[in-house]
Each structure stands twice: as C-alpha cells, then as structure tokens.
Amino acid sequence: MSWSSSTSTDSNQPMNTPLSLPQIVINTRPVERAEPLTQYLQAAGLTVVDMPMLTLQPRLTTDNDMMLMRQWLAGAYQALVIVSPTAAASGLAIWQLLEQERQANDGHDKEIEGTEGSSETFETLAAPSHLIAVGEATAAVLNEAKLPFASYQVLQPVIANNEGMLAMPEIESLQRGDKLLVWRGLGGRRLLVDTLQARGVHIDSIAWYERKMPIDAMVQYQQWLQGFNSGDATSGITASKQAKPIVIVSSGTAFEHWQSIVQATELLNVAAGQLAMPVNVPLTLSDFAYVVLGERLANMVAEQHLSYWRVEDLAPETILAAINTPCL
C-alpha cells in the first residue's frame, strides 16, 4: 500500500479542519468496480456518491484478435499482461474456447489414425508464457477460474501500475525482438507500451472492451450539484468553509469525462443566468480535491493546478489513508 500527496496550489483547502458534516467523496469508478470502495469508505464515516464516469462496453472479437490469441497459444510471446478484471474475463473465455477447439481437433485426429480418443471432459489450460495481472481483482478472475488441472501461475507487480510492471523481472528482461501481448480496454497503459517499444520489444494488444461516458452522467452530476447546493444552504455552511468534495479518478479517460461535465454545467448555468432562469450555482474543477491513480493522471491534474493526492493502487485502505492526510 502506497500513496503520496501533492503540494496544493489552493491555499483555501481546509482538509484537516473539523466539520459538522461528513466529508463528501465522489466515486467515479465504473459500476461493476465501484461497490467495494464505496462500502469501505462509507464504513469509515464518509458520505460517498457513486457517479460513474466510465461504462465498459464489450467490443466484437475480430479475426485479428483470434489470430493474436492463436499466436500466443503457439508460444509466440514471452509474456501476457492483463490490465483489468474485464479484460481478464473476456480473454479467458476466448482462451478456453480455443483450448476446447484444440482438444476436440486432437481427439478427431486420433480417431482418424485409428487410436482411441480421450473421453475426458475439457479440464486443462496451460499458459504458453508468463501471465501478469495488474491488480488483485484482475488476478482473482484468473485464479478463481482455474480448472482442476490448469497449468499457469498468475504473477503480479508489487505496485499495480505501469511503473510496477516495468520493474518486474519478467518485463525488465524483455529485449529487442521479444514479443509481449496485452489484454486491455481501448486506450491506456501508454507508459508501459512506449517504454518497451523504445527498447525494441514488439507489442500486440487485444482491446476486449471500450470505455464510454455513461449516458446519464451529466444528469447525475447536475442532480448531485443541486442537492449539494441545497445542503449548504440548509446547513449554513458556505462554499468557502465547506471542505472540498473529493473525487476519486482512476484513469485519464474518466478525468476527461469529469472535466467535460463540470465545464459544460458551468456554461449551462451562465446561459441560464443570461436568460433570467433559475441558476444552479456551479462548481469549477478547482472546487474539488482529487484522489488520482499514478503518475500520468497526477500530471494531468497538476497541470491544471488542482488539489490532489496521488495513489499507486486502488485498494480501499490506500485511498482512505490518502484522504485522511492533510493536503498541504
């Protein structure tokens, strides 16, 4: 478990000031990944709002994806990196399908040769390369799916991010001419790819899913904002004294979606004011503090002079430890 905090550029950030209201935390993780973190933070006394900035949509498996999978099973790659539980589940399903296909073909060949085919059900799954899972949840998908005679070991970096993977002996030893396969969602993990490609390592990837903004994300944010403003009014706590709501962001795509919604809401309120319509007092990006994963995302928020803590993994205890530390 590790985390670090930045030096805030906002001198009005009273993170360690006792408040009469629980600290508000906005969890922007996808629905299928948000619940454990939300429950953990709620148990710690925080007010948590689930507001996904990403929804994960499966992509059609292409002929090229199947070709890469067959090449991997034939031993063409030194390692396979799996970046998320969703990628693990999708890739595992195709892996099992191809293994069933192979064993069925082997049985058919034995029948043609006049030898007795195996009557055993499909129960073996052997990995042709190192399997590297990014994070406990990703590793769990692979470990929990093991068949009785599965033959693979799931490796994990000490720190579940790009830097942690680059430090692994199985990745660090890759050199010019070696090949790496990545199971992922569309986009992401550029540090790993860029670093290894600069070293001459050939990288192929299969994007099993893509990240999109939920269709109701804007409405969710505006409804929350209305309630937040109403709460401030009824409690007598002004915006200058209210602790900044904390936004948990785990990817650059999620932050871009969050940024677009906050800024679009500001513009809508400006337009409503000009038309003498009721105005929902907007918040700017700097009215929030951020818990962000890894160096790339930390740089994104730092460039906008936003208050943030950088964490190196998304374990609930890591995030709570960061939030409980005053932002300087």
Side-chain angles (χ1 to χ4, degrees):
M1 179 176 74
S2 62
W3 58 270
S4 60
S5 63
S6 74
T7 299
S8 170
T9 57
D10 186 342
S11 60
N12 295 320
Q13 171 80 12
M15 298 305 299
N16 57 348
T17 302
L19 298 169
S20 58
L21 296 177
Q23 177 69 61
I24 296 172
V25 178
I26 297 175
N27 185 359
T28 69
R29 301 219 70 205
V31 171
E32 57 269 37
R33 300 180 187 172
E35 185 177 0
L37 175 59
T38 292
Q39 291 181 345
Y40 188 90
L41 296 179
Q42 286 174 336
L46 303 174
T47 297
V48 185
V49 180
D50 285 328
M51 197 182 301
M53 287 293 118
L54 293 176
T55 183
L56 307 181
Q57 296 188 357
R59 305 179 77 235
L60 291 176
T61 303
T62 66
D63 290 341
N64 187 65
D65 296 336
M66 297 300 286
M67 179 190 72
L68 293 176
M69 286 293 294
R70 288 188 170 94
Q71 289 177 352
W72 174 65
L73 288 170
Y77 296 89
Q78 278 66 49
L80 167 65
V81 170
I82 306 143
V83 305
S84 72
T86 304
S90 300
L92 185 62
I94 298 299
W95 180 8
Q96 290 177 330
L97 179 67
L98 290 175
E99 186 60 27
Q100 287 173 326
E101 178 185 280
R102 185 192 66 78
Q103 293 188 24
N105 289 337
D106 286 349
H108 179 66
D109 291 343
K110 289 179 180 179
E111 290 178 5
I112 292 176
E113 294 170 3
T115 59
E116 185 178 350
S118 173
S119 61
E120 294 181 0
T121 58
F122 166 65
E123 57 186 11
T124 60
L125 206 61
S129 74
H130 297 301
L131 292 185
I132 300 172
V134 184
E136 293 288 344
T138 302
V141 171
L142 295 164
N143 286 323
E144 291 170 7
K146 278 190 176 180
L147 298 166
F149 299 102
S151 177
Y152 60 81
Q153 178 184 8
V154 181
L155 305 173
Q156 293 178 248
V158 175
I159 301 176
N161 59 14
N162 286 306
E163 294 86 349
M165 284 187 289
L166 287 168
M168 296 181 70
E170 296 78 10
I171 296 295
E172 192 175 32
S173 63
L174 294 176
Q175 53 192 322
R176 183 172 299 278
D178 287 338
K179 297 179 68 176
L180 175 75
L181 182 62
V182 181
W183 290 355
R184 61 182 178 87
L186 200 60
R189 300 290 169 196
R190 291 309 310 175
L191 177 62
L192 175 69
V193 171
D194 293 345
T195 302
L196 292 179
Q197 284 180 337
R199 199 188 297 170
V201 177
H202 178 85
I203 298 178
D204 288 316
S205 64
I206 301 175
W208 298 109
Y209 61 93
E210 57 186 318
R211 305 171 180 89
K212 293 191 173 181
M213 184 188 295
I215 57 175
D216 60 348
M218 174 72 84
V219 172
Q220 276 195 313
Y221 174 74
Q222 291 177 341
Q223 289 177 341
W224 170 80
L225 181 60
Q226 184 176 12
F228 178 75
N229 287 330
S230 298
D232 280 352
T234 56
S235 67
I237 297 178
T238 64
S240 62
K241 294 182 179 179
Q242 169 70 48
K244 291 184 177 183
I246 296 169
V247 184
I248 298 171
V249 190
S250 60
S251 75
T253 303
F255 181 70
E256 289 167 359
H257 291 170
W258 168 264
Q259 180 176 248
S260 68
I261 284 175
V262 173
Q263 293 175 340
T265 301
E266 288 183 69
L267 294 175
L268 286 174
N269 281 277
V270 169
Q274 291 173 342
L275 295 173
M277 296 172 62
V279 175
N280 188 12
V281 180
L283 297 177
T284 67
L285 289 172
S286 61
D287 289 320
F288 299 89
Y290 299 85
V291 177
V292 299
L293 176 66
E295 180 180 8
R296 175 173 173 267
L297 194 47
N299 289 339
M300 289 176 68
V301 298
E303 286 171 1
Q304 301 198 44
H305 308 291
L306 303 175
S307 305
Y308 72 95
W309 299 269
R310 170 182 165 181
V311 296
E312 302 303 333
D313 63 73
L314 293 170
E317 56 270 23
T318 301
I319 291 175
L320 182 62
I323 290 173
N324 283 336
T325 301
C327 186
L328 301 177

